Coordinates of all heavy atoms in Angstrom, one line a residue:
S1 N -52.9 -71.0 -57.9 CA -52.5 -72.3 -58.0 C -51.7 -72.5 -59.3 O -52.1 -71.9 -60.3 CB -53.7 -73.3 -58.1 OG -54.3 -73.3 -56.8
Y2 N -50.8 -73.4 -59.3 CA -50.0 -73.7 -60.5 C -49.6 -75.2 -60.4 O -49.2 -75.6 -59.4 CB -48.7 -72.8 -60.6 CG -47.9 -73.2 -61.8 CD1 -48.2 -72.7 -63.1 CD2 -46.8 -74.0 -61.7 CE1 -47.5 -73.1 -64.2 CE2 -46.0 -74.3 -62.8 CZ -46.4 -73.9 -64.0 OH -45.6 -74.2 -65.1
A3 N -49.8 -75.9 -61.5 CA -49.4 -77.3 -61.6 C -48.8 -77.6 -62.9 O -49.1 -76.9 -63.9 CB -50.7 -78.2 -61.4
R4 N -47.9 -78.6 -62.9 CA -47.2 -79.0 -64.1 C -46.9 -80.5 -64.1 O -46.6 -81.0 -63.1 CB -45.9 -78.2 -64.2 CG -45.2 -78.5 -65.5 CD -44.1 -77.6 -65.7 NE -43.4 -78.1 -66.9 CZ -42.5 -77.4 -67.5 NH1 -42.1 -76.3 -67.0 NH2 -41.9 -77.9 -68.6
A5 N -47.1 -81.1 -65.3 CA -46.7 -82.5 -65.4 C -45.3 -82.6 -65.9 O -44.8 -81.8 -66.7 CB -47.6 -83.2 -66.4
F6 N -44.5 -83.6 -65.3 CA -43.2 -83.8 -65.7 C -43.1 -85.3 -66.2 O -43.5 -86.2 -65.5 CB -42.2 -83.7 -64.5 CG -42.2 -82.3 -63.9 CD1 -43.0 -82.0 -62.8 CD2 -41.4 -81.3 -64.4 CE1 -43.0 -80.8 -62.2 CE2 -41.4 -80.1 -63.9 CZ -42.2 -79.8 -62.8
R7 N -42.6 -85.4 -67.4 CA -42.6 -86.7 -68.0 C -44.0 -87.3 -68.1 O -44.9 -86.6 -68.1 CB -41.6 -87.6 -67.3 CG -40.2 -87.0 -67.3 CD -39.1 -87.9 -67.0 NE -37.9 -87.1 -66.9 CZ -36.7 -87.6 -66.8 NH1 -36.6 -89.0 -66.8 NH2 -35.7 -86.9 -66.7
D8 N -44.1 -88.6 -68.0 CA -45.5 -89.1 -68.2 C -46.0 -89.6 -66.8 O -47.2 -90.0 -66.8 CB -45.5 -90.3 -69.2 CG -44.5 -91.4 -68.8 OD1 -43.6 -91.1 -68.1 OD2 -44.7 -92.5 -69.3
R9 N -45.3 -89.7 -65.8 CA -45.7 -90.2 -64.5 C -45.7 -89.3 -63.3 O -46.0 -89.7 -62.2 CB -44.9 -91.5 -64.2 CG -45.1 -92.6 -65.2 CD -44.4 -93.9 -64.7 NE -44.6 -94.9 -65.7 CZ -45.5 -95.9 -65.6 NH1 -46.3 -95.9 -64.6 NH2 -45.5 -96.8 -66.5
W10 N -45.2 -88.1 -63.5 CA -45.0 -87.2 -62.3 C -45.7 -85.9 -62.6 O -45.7 -85.3 -63.7 CB -43.5 -86.9 -62.1 CG -42.7 -88.0 -61.7 CD1 -42.1 -89.0 -62.5 CD2 -42.5 -88.5 -60.4 NE1 -41.5 -89.9 -61.7 CE2 -41.7 -89.6 -60.4 CE3 -42.9 -87.9 -59.1 CZ2 -41.3 -90.3 -59.3 CZ3 -42.4 -88.6 -58.0 CH2 -41.7 -89.8 -58.1
S11 N -46.3 -85.3 -61.5 CA -46.9 -84.0 -61.5 C -46.6 -83.3 -60.2 O -46.4 -83.9 -59.2 CB -48.4 -84.1 -61.7 OG -48.8 -84.7 -62.9
A12 N -46.5 -82.0 -60.3 CA -46.2 -81.2 -59.1 C -47.1 -79.9 -59.2 O -47.4 -79.4 -60.2 CB -44.8 -80.8 -58.9
G13 N -47.4 -79.3 -58.0 CA -48.1 -78.1 -58.0 C -47.8 -77.3 -56.8 O -47.3 -77.7 -55.8
A14 N -48.2 -76.0 -56.8 CA -48.0 -75.1 -55.7 C -49.3 -74.2 -55.6 O -50.0 -74.0 -56.7 CB -46.8 -74.2 -56.0
R15 N -49.6 -73.8 -54.4 CA -50.8 -73.0 -54.2 C -50.5 -72.0 -53.2 O -49.9 -72.2 -52.1 CB -52.0 -73.9 -53.8 CG -53.2 -73.2 -53.4 CD -54.4 -74.1 -53.1 NE -54.2 -74.8 -51.9 CZ -55.1 -75.5 -51.3 NH1 -56.3 -75.5 -51.7 NH2 -54.8 -76.1 -50.1
L16 N -51.0 -70.7 -53.4 CA -50.9 -69.6 -52.5 C -52.3 -69.3 -52.0 O -53.2 -69.0 -52.9 CB -50.2 -68.4 -53.2 CG -49.7 -67.3 -52.3 CD1 -48.7 -67.8 -51.3 CD2 -49.2 -66.2 -53.1
R17 N -52.6 -69.4 -50.7 CA -53.9 -69.2 -50.2 C -53.9 -67.9 -49.4 O -53.0 -67.6 -48.6 CB -54.3 -70.4 -49.3 CG -54.5 -71.6 -50.0 CD -55.0 -72.7 -49.1 NE -54.0 -73.1 -48.2 CZ -54.1 -73.4 -46.9 NH1 -55.3 -73.3 -46.4 NH2 -53.1 -73.7 -46.1
F18 N -55.0 -67.2 -49.5 CA -55.3 -66.0 -48.6 C -56.2 -66.4 -47.5 O -57.3 -66.9 -47.7 CB -56.0 -64.9 -49.5 CG -56.3 -63.7 -48.7 CD1 -55.3 -62.8 -48.3 CD2 -57.6 -63.4 -48.3 CE1 -55.6 -61.7 -47.6 CE2 -57.9 -62.3 -47.5 CZ -56.9 -61.4 -47.2
L19 N -55.7 -66.3 -46.3 CA -56.4 -66.7 -45.1 C -56.9 -65.4 -44.4 O -56.2 -64.5 -44.3 CB -55.5 -67.5 -44.1 CG -54.8 -68.7 -44.6 CD1 -53.8 -69.2 -43.6 CD2 -55.8 -69.7 -45.1
Q20 N -58.2 -65.5 -43.9 CA -58.7 -64.3 -43.2 C -59.5 -64.8 -42.0 O -60.2 -65.8 -42.1 CB -59.6 -63.5 -44.2 CG -60.1 -62.3 -43.5 CD -60.9 -61.4 -44.5 OE1 -61.5 -61.9 -45.5 NE2 -60.9 -60.1 -44.3
Q21 N -59.4 -64.1 -40.9 CA -60.1 -64.4 -39.7 C -60.8 -63.1 -39.2 O -60.1 -62.0 -39.2 CB -59.2 -64.9 -38.7 CG -59.8 -65.5 -37.5 CD -58.8 -66.2 -36.6 OE1 -57.7 -65.6 -36.3 NE2 -59.1 -67.4 -36.2
K22 N -62.0 -63.1 -38.9 CA -62.8 -61.9 -38.4 C -63.5 -62.3 -37.2 O -64.3 -63.2 -37.1 CB -63.7 -61.4 -39.5 CG -64.3 -60.1 -39.2 CD -65.1 -59.6 -40.4 CE -65.7 -58.2 -40.1 NZ -66.4 -57.7 -41.2
I23 N -63.3 -61.4 -36.2 CA -64.1 -61.6 -34.9 C -64.7 -60.2 -34.6 O -64.0 -59.3 -34.3 CB -63.1 -62.1 -33.8 CG1 -62.5 -63.4 -34.2 CG2 -63.9 -62.2 -32.5 CD1 -61.4 -63.9 -33.2
F24 N -66.0 -60.2 -34.7 CA -66.7 -58.9 -34.5 C -66.2 -57.9 -35.5 O -66.2 -58.1 -36.7 CB -66.7 -58.4 -33.1 CG -67.4 -59.4 -32.1 CD1 -66.6 -60.1 -31.2 CD2 -68.7 -59.6 -32.2 CE1 -67.2 -61.0 -30.4 CE2 -69.3 -60.6 -31.4 CZ -68.6 -61.3 -30.5
S25 N -65.6 -56.8 -35.0 CA -65.1 -55.7 -35.9 C -63.6 -55.9 -36.2 O -63.0 -55.1 -37.0 CB -65.4 -54.3 -35.4 OG -64.8 -54.2 -34.2
A26 N -62.9 -56.8 -35.5 CA -61.5 -57.0 -35.7 C -61.2 -58.1 -36.7 O -61.9 -59.1 -36.8 CB -60.8 -57.3 -34.4
S27 N -60.2 -57.9 -37.5 CA -59.8 -58.9 -38.5 C -58.3 -59.0 -38.7 O -57.6 -58.0 -38.4 CB -60.6 -58.7 -39.8 OG -60.1 -57.5 -40.4
G28 N -57.9 -60.1 -39.3 CA -56.5 -60.3 -39.6 C -56.4 -61.2 -40.8 O -57.3 -61.9 -41.1
N29 N -55.3 -61.2 -41.5 CA -55.1 -62.1 -42.7 C -53.7 -62.5 -42.8 O -52.8 -61.9 -42.2 CB -55.7 -61.4 -43.9 CG -55.1 -60.1 -44.2 OD1 -53.9 -59.9 -44.2 ND2 -55.9 -59.1 -44.3
A30 N -53.4 -63.5 -43.7 CA -52.1 -64.0 -43.9 C -52.1 -64.8 -45.2 O -53.2 -65.1 -45.8 CB -51.6 -64.9 -42.8
L31 N -51.0 -65.1 -45.8 CA -50.8 -65.9 -47.0 C -50.2 -67.2 -46.6 O -49.3 -67.3 -45.7 CB -49.9 -65.2 -48.0 CG -50.5 -64.0 -48.7 CD1 -49.4 -63.4 -49.6 CD2 -51.7 -64.3 -49.5
A32 N -50.7 -68.3 -47.1 CA -50.2 -69.7 -46.9 C -49.7 -70.3 -48.1 O -50.3 -70.1 -49.2 CB -51.3 -70.5 -46.3
L33 N -48.6 -71.0 -48.0 CA -48.0 -71.7 -49.2 C -48.1 -73.2 -49.0 O -47.8 -73.8 -48.0 CB -46.5 -71.3 -49.3 CG -45.7 -72.1 -50.3 CD1 -46.2 -71.7 -51.7 CD2 -44.2 -71.8 -50.2
D34 N -48.7 -73.9 -50.1 CA -48.8 -75.3 -50.1 C -48.1 -75.9 -51.4 O -48.1 -75.2 -52.4 CB -50.3 -75.7 -50.3 CG -51.2 -75.2 -49.1 OD1 -50.6 -74.8 -48.1 OD2 -52.4 -75.1 -49.3
L35 N -47.5 -77.0 -51.2 CA -46.9 -77.7 -52.3 C -47.5 -79.2 -52.4 O -47.9 -79.7 -51.4 CB -45.4 -77.8 -52.2 CG -44.6 -76.5 -52.1 CD1 -43.1 -76.8 -51.9 CD2 -44.8 -75.7 -53.4
S36 N -47.5 -79.7 -53.6 CA -48.0 -81.1 -53.8 C -47.3 -81.8 -54.9 O -46.7 -81.2 -55.8 CB -49.5 -81.0 -54.1 OG -49.8 -80.4 -55.3
G37 N -47.4 -83.1 -54.8 CA -46.8 -84.0 -55.8 C -47.7 -85.2 -56.1 O -48.4 -85.6 -55.2
Y38 N -47.6 -85.8 -57.3 CA -48.4 -86.9 -57.6 C -47.6 -87.7 -58.6 O -46.9 -87.2 -59.5 CB -49.7 -86.4 -58.3 CG -50.6 -87.4 -58.8 CD1 -51.5 -88.2 -58.0 CD2 -50.6 -87.7 -60.2 CE1 -52.3 -89.1 -58.5 CE2 -51.5 -88.7 -60.7 CZ -52.3 -89.4 -59.9 OH -53.1 -90.4 -60.4
T39 N -47.7 -89.1 -58.5 CA -47.1 -90.0 -59.4 C -47.8 -91.2 -59.6 O -48.7 -91.6 -58.7 CB -45.6 -90.3 -58.9 OG1 -45.0 -91.1 -59.9 CG2 -45.6 -91.0 -57.6
K40 N -47.6 -91.9 -60.7 CA -48.2 -93.2 -61.0 C -47.0 -94.1 -61.2 O -46.5 -94.3 -62.4 CB -49.0 -93.2 -62.3 CG -50.3 -92.4 -62.1 CD -51.1 -92.5 -63.4 CE -52.4 -91.7 -63.3 NZ -53.2 -91.8 -64.5
P41 N -46.4 -94.7 -60.2 CA -45.2 -95.5 -60.3 C -45.3 -96.8 -61.0 O -44.4 -97.2 -61.7 CB -44.7 -95.7 -58.9 CG -46.0 -95.6 -58.0 CD -46.8 -94.6 -58.8
W42 N -46.5 -97.5 -60.9 CA -46.7 -98.8 -61.5 C -48.1 -98.8 -62.1 O -49.0 -98.0 -61.7 CB -46.5 -99.9 -60.6 CG -45.3 -99.9 -59.9 CD1 -44.0 -100.3 -60.4 CD2 -45.0 -99.6 -58.5 NE1 -43.1 -100.1 -59.4 CE2 -43.6 -99.7 -58.2 CE3 -45.8 -99.1 -57.5 CZ2 -43.1 -99.4 -57.0 CZ3 -45.3 -98.9 -56.2 CH2 -43.9 -99.0 -56.0
N43 N -48.4 -99.7 -63.0 CA -49.8 -99.8 -63.5 C -50.8 -100.0 -62.4 O -50.6 -100.9 -61.6 CB -49.9 -101.0 -64.5 CG -49.2 -100.6 -65.8 OD1 -49.0 -99.5 -66.1 ND2 -48.9 -101.6 -66.6
G44 N -51.8 -99.2 -62.4 CA -52.9 -99.3 -61.4 C -52.6 -98.5 -60.1 O -53.6 -98.3 -59.4
F45 N -51.4 -98.2 -59.8 CA -51.1 -97.6 -58.5 C -50.8 -96.1 -58.8 O -50.3 -95.7 -59.8 CB -49.8 -98.1 -57.9 CG -50.0 -99.5 -57.2 CD1 -49.7 -100.6 -57.9 CD2 -50.4 -99.5 -55.9 CE1 -49.9 -101.9 -57.3 CE2 -50.6 -100.8 -55.3 CZ -50.4 -101.9 -56.0
S46 N -51.3 -95.3 -57.8 CA -50.9 -93.8 -57.8 C -50.7 -93.4 -56.4 O -51.3 -94.0 -55.4 CB -52.0 -93.0 -58.5 OG -53.3 -93.2 -57.8
T47 N -49.9 -92.4 -56.2 CA -49.7 -91.8 -54.9 C -49.5 -90.3 -54.9 O -49.1 -89.8 -56.0 CB -48.4 -92.5 -54.2 OG1 -48.3 -92.0 -52.9 CG2 -47.2 -92.2 -55.0
G48 N -49.9 -89.6 -53.9 CA -49.8 -88.2 -53.8 C -49.4 -87.7 -52.5 O -49.6 -88.4 -51.4
L49 N -48.8 -86.6 -52.4 CA -48.3 -86.0 -51.2 C -48.6 -84.5 -51.2 O -48.3 -83.8 -52.2 CB -46.8 -86.2 -51.1 CG -46.1 -85.4 -49.9 CD1 -46.5 -86.0 -48.6 CD2 -44.6 -85.5 -50.1
T50 N -49.2 -83.9 -50.1 CA -49.4 -82.5 -50.0 C -48.7 -82.0 -48.8 O -48.7 -82.7 -47.7 CB -50.9 -82.1 -49.9 OG1 -51.4 -82.7 -48.7 CG2 -51.6 -82.6 -51.1
L51 N -48.1 -80.9 -48.9 CA -47.4 -80.2 -47.8 C -48.1 -78.8 -47.6 O -48.0 -78.0 -48.5 CB -45.9 -80.0 -48.0 CG -45.1 -81.3 -48.4 CD1 -43.7 -80.9 -48.8 CD2 -45.1 -82.2 -47.1
N52 N -48.8 -78.6 -46.5 CA -49.6 -77.4 -46.3 C -48.9 -76.5 -45.3 O -48.3 -76.9 -44.4 CB -51.0 -77.8 -45.8 CG -51.8 -78.6 -46.8 OD1 -51.6 -78.4 -48.0 ND2 -52.6 -79.5 -46.3
N53 N -49.2 -75.2 -45.5 CA -48.7 -74.2 -44.5 C -47.2 -74.2 -44.3 O -46.7 -74.1 -43.2 CB -49.4 -74.3 -43.2 CG -50.9 -74.2 -43.3 OD1 -51.5 -73.5 -44.1 ND2 -51.6 -75.0 -42.5
L54 N -46.5 -74.3 -45.4 CA -45.0 -74.4 -45.3 C -44.4 -73.2 -44.7 O -43.3 -73.3 -44.1 CB -44.4 -74.7 -46.7 CG -44.7 -76.1 -47.2 CD1 -44.2 -76.3 -48.6 CD2 -44.1 -77.2 -46.3
N55 N -45.0 -72.0 -44.9 CA -44.4 -70.8 -44.4 C -44.9 -70.4 -43.0 O -44.6 -69.3 -42.6 CB -44.7 -69.6 -45.4 CG -46.2 -69.4 -45.6 OD1 -47.0 -70.4 -45.5 ND2 -46.6 -68.2 -45.9
R56 N -45.6 -71.3 -42.4 CA -46.2 -71.1 -41.0 C -46.9 -69.7 -40.9 O -46.5 -68.8 -40.2 CB -45.1 -71.1 -40.0 CG -44.4 -72.5 -39.8 CD -43.4 -72.4 -38.7 NE -42.9 -73.7 -38.4 CZ -43.4 -74.5 -37.4 NH1 -44.3 -74.1 -36.7 NH2 -42.9 -75.7 -37.2
P57 N -48.0 -69.6 -41.7 CA -48.7 -68.3 -41.6 C -49.2 -68.0 -40.2 O -49.7 -68.9 -39.5 CB -49.8 -68.5 -42.6 CG -50.0 -69.9 -42.8 CD -48.7 -70.6 -42.5
K58 N -49.2 -66.7 -39.9 CA -49.7 -66.3 -38.6 C -50.7 -65.2 -38.8 O -50.4 -64.2 -39.5 CB -48.6 -65.8 -37.7 CG -49.0 -65.4 -36.3 CD -47.8 -64.7 -35.6 CE -46.7 -65.7 -35.3 NZ -45.7 -65.1 -34.4
I59 N -51.9 -65.3 -38.2 CA -53.0 -64.3 -38.3 C -53.1 -63.7 -36.9 O -53.2 -64.3 -35.9 CB -54.3 -64.9 -38.7 CG1 -54.2 -65.5 -40.1 CG2 -55.4 -63.8 -38.6 CD1 -55.5 -66.2 -40.5
T60 N -53.0 -62.3 -36.9 CA -53.1 -61.6 -35.7 C -54.4 -60.8 -35.7 O -54.6 -60.0 -36.6 CB -51.9 -60.7 -35.4 OG1 -50.7 -61.5 -35.5 CG2 -52.0 -59.9 -34.1
V61 N -55.2 -61.0 -34.7 CA -56.5 -60.3 -34.5 C -56.4 -59.6 -33.2 O -56.3 -60.3 -32.2 CB -57.7 -61.2 -34.6 CG1 -59.0 -60.4 -34.4 CG2 -57.8 -61.9 -35.9
D62 N -56.4 -58.3 -33.2 CA -56.1 -57.5 -32.0 C -54.8 -57.9 -31.5 O -53.8 -57.7 -32.2 CB -57.2 -57.6 -30.9 CG -58.5 -56.9 -31.3 OD1 -58.4 -55.9 -32.0 OD2 -59.6 -57.3 -30.8
S63 N -54.6 -58.4 -30.3 CA -53.3 -58.8 -29.8 C -53.1 -60.3 -29.8 O -52.1 -60.8 -29.4 CB -53.1 -58.2 -28.4 OG -54.1 -58.7 -27.5
E64 N -54.1 -61.0 -30.2 CA -54.1 -62.5 -30.2 C -53.6 -63.0 -31.6 O -54.1 -62.5 -32.6 CB -55.4 -63.1 -29.9 CG -56.0 -62.8 -28.6 CD -55.2 -63.5 -27.5 OE1 -54.9 -64.7 -27.7 OE2 -55.0 -62.9 -26.4
S65 N -52.7 -63.9 -31.6 CA -52.2 -64.4 -32.9 C -52.4 -65.9 -32.9 O -52.2 -66.6 -31.9 CB -50.7 -64.1 -33.1 OG -49.9 -64.7 -32.2
D66 N -52.8 -66.4 -34.1 CA -52.9 -67.9 -34.4 C -51.9 -68.2 -35.5 O -51.9 -67.6 -36.6 CB -54.3 -68.2 -34.9 CG -55.4 -68.1 -33.8 OD1 -55.0 -68.4 -32.7 OD2 -56.5 -67.7 -34.2
E67 N -51.0 -69.2 -35.2 CA -50.1 -69.7 -36.1 C -50.6 -71.0 -36.7 O -50.9 -71.9 -35.9 CB -48.7 -69.8 -35.5 CG -47.7 -70.3 -36.5 CD -46.3 -70.3 -36.0 OE1 -45.9 -69.4 -35.2 OE2 -45.5 -71.2 -36.3
F68 N -50.5 -71.2 -38.0 CA -51.0 -72.4 -38.6 C -49.7 -73.3 -38.8 O -48.8 -72.9 -39.4 CB -51.6 -72.2 -40.0 CG -52.9 -71.5 -39.9 CD1 -53.0 -70.1 -39.6 CD2 -54.1 -72.2 -40.1 CE1 -54.3 -69.5 -39.4 CE2 -55.3 -71.6 -40.0 CZ -55.4 -70.2 -39.7
R69 N -49.8 -74.5 -38.2 CA -48.6 -75.4 -38.3 C -48.5 -76.1 -39.6 O -49.6 -76.4 -40.2 CB -48.7 -76.4 -37.2 CG -48.5 -75.9 -35.8 CD -48.6 -76.9 -34.8 NE -50.0 -77.3 -34.6 CZ -50.4 -78.4 -34.0 NH1 -49.6 -79.2 -33.5 NH2 -51.7 -78.7 -33.9
P70 N -47.3 -76.4 -40.1 CA -47.2 -77.2 -41.3 C -47.8 -78.6 -41.1 O -47.8 -79.1 -40.0 CB -45.7 -77.3 -41.5 CG -45.1 -76.2 -40.8 CD -46.0 -76.0 -39.6
A71 N -48.4 -79.1 -42.2 CA -49.0 -80.4 -42.2 C -48.7 -81.2 -43.5 O -48.5 -80.5 -44.5 CB -50.5 -80.3 -42.0
A72 N -48.6 -82.5 -43.4 CA -48.3 -83.3 -44.6 C -49.3 -84.4 -44.6 O -49.8 -84.9 -43.6 CB -46.9 -83.9 -44.5
R73 N -49.7 -84.7 -45.9 CA -50.7 -85.8 -46.1 C -50.2 -86.6 -47.3 O -49.7 -86.1 -48.3 CB -52.1 -85.2 -46.5 CG -52.8 -84.5 -45.4 CD -54.1 -84.1 -45.8 NE -54.8 -83.3 -44.7 CZ -55.9 -82.7 -44.8 NH1 -56.6 -82.8 -46.0 NH2 -56.4 -82.1 -43.8
L74 N -50.3 -87.9 -47.1 CA -49.8 -88.9 -48.1 C -51.0 -89.8 -48.4 O -51.7 -90.3 -47.5 CB -48.7 -89.7 -47.6 CG -48.1 -90.8 -48.4 CD1 -47.5 -90.2 -49.7 CD2 -47.1 -91.6 -47.7
G75 N -51.2 -90.1 -49.7 CA -52.3 -91.0 -50.1 C -51.8 -92.0 -51.1 O -50.8 -91.7 -51.9
L76 N -52.3 -93.1 -51.1 CA -52.0 -94.2 -52.0 C -53.3 -94.8 -52.5 O -54.2 -95.0 -51.8 CB -51.2 -95.3 -51.3 CG -50.8 -96.5 -52.1 CD1 -49.8 -96.1 -53.2 CD2 -50.1 -97.5 -51.2
A77 N -53.4 -95.1 -53.8 CA -54.6 -95.7 -54.4 C -54.2 -96.8 -55.4 O -53.1 -96.7 -56.0 CB -55.4 -94.6 -55.1
Y78 N -55.1 -97.7 -55.5 CA -55.0 -98.8 -56.5 C -56.3 -98.9 -57.3 O -57.3 -99.0 -56.7 CB -54.6 -100.1 -55.9 CG -54.6 -101.2 -56.8 CD1 -53.5 -101.3 -57.7 CD2 -55.6 -102.2 -56.9 CE1 -53.5 -102.4 -58.7 CE2 -55.5 -103.2 -57.8 CZ -54.5 -103.3 -58.7 OH -54.4 -104.3 -59.6
R79 N -56.2 -98.9 -58.6 CA -57.3 -99.1 -59.5 C -57.2 -100.5 -60.2 O -56.2 -100.6 -61.0 CB -57.5 -98.0 -60.5 CG -58.6 -98.2 -61.5 CD -58.9 -97.1 -62.4 NE -59.6 -96.1 -61.6 CZ -59.9 -94.9 -62.0 NH1 -59.6 -94.6 -63.2 NH2 -60.6 -94.1 -61.3
A80 N -58.1 -101.4 -59.8 CA -58.0 -102.7 -60.4 C -58.3 -102.7 -61.9 O -59.2 -101.9 -62.3 CB -59.0 -103.6 -59.7
P81 N -57.7 -103.5 -62.7 CA -58.0 -103.5 -64.1 C -59.4 -104.1 -64.3 O -59.9 -104.9 -63.6 CB -57.0 -104.5 -64.7 CG -56.2 -105.0 -63.6 CD -56.6 -104.3 -62.3
R82 N -60.1 -103.6 -65.4 CA -61.4 -104.0 -65.7 C -61.5 -105.2 -66.6 O -60.7 -105.5 -67.3 CB -62.2 -102.9 -66.3 CG -62.4 -101.7 -65.4 CD -63.1 -100.6 -66.0 NE -63.3 -99.5 -65.1 CZ -64.0 -98.5 -65.2 NH1 -64.8 -98.4 -66.3 NH2 -64.1 -97.6 -64.4

């Protein structure tokens, strides 16, 4: 994983994951790439976005293969002043 802050309101990160699947004595593996971003656009508000499996990793066990589809998640939060 690697993350970095840009200016005072933006952050971005990347993650490389090792995926492994094992069924009895057969196994397979793949690498998955994820990217994320985070910002605080206004006082009290924050939002984040993650993009998972951007490289469409595929794990093959014996002759069967599983492909992981890309996925996106967006979140928004508000923290009320105390």
Side-chain angles (χ1 to χ4, degrees):
S1 295
Y2 177 79
R4 182 172 175 168
F6 299 96
R7 304 196 184 188
D8 59 337
R9 295 186 182 263
W10 293 89
S11 299
R15 176 174 68 164
L16 194 61
R17 292 182 292 137
F18 179 76
L19 307 175
Q20 185 175 27
Q21 193 172 45
K22 186 173 184 178
I23 302 172
F24 299 111
S25 62
S27 65
N29 53 53
L31 291 175
L33 174 65
D34 303 338
L35 297 177
S36 62
Y38 175 80
T39 185
K40 292 182 179 181
W42 307 285
N43 285 341
F45 285 94
S46 61
T47 185
L49 172 70
T50 63
L51 304 172
N52 297 325
N53 304 323
L54 289 176
N55 60 330
R56 293 182 173 264
K58 185 187 293 186
I59 297 178
T60 303
V61 177
D62 285 336
S63 60
E64 297 289 322
S65 63
D66 289 327
E67 183 175 319
F68 290 75
R69 292 181 286 166
R73 292 181 182 176
L74 176 66
L76 178 66
Y78 175 72
R79 176 172 282 177
R82 294 181 181 191

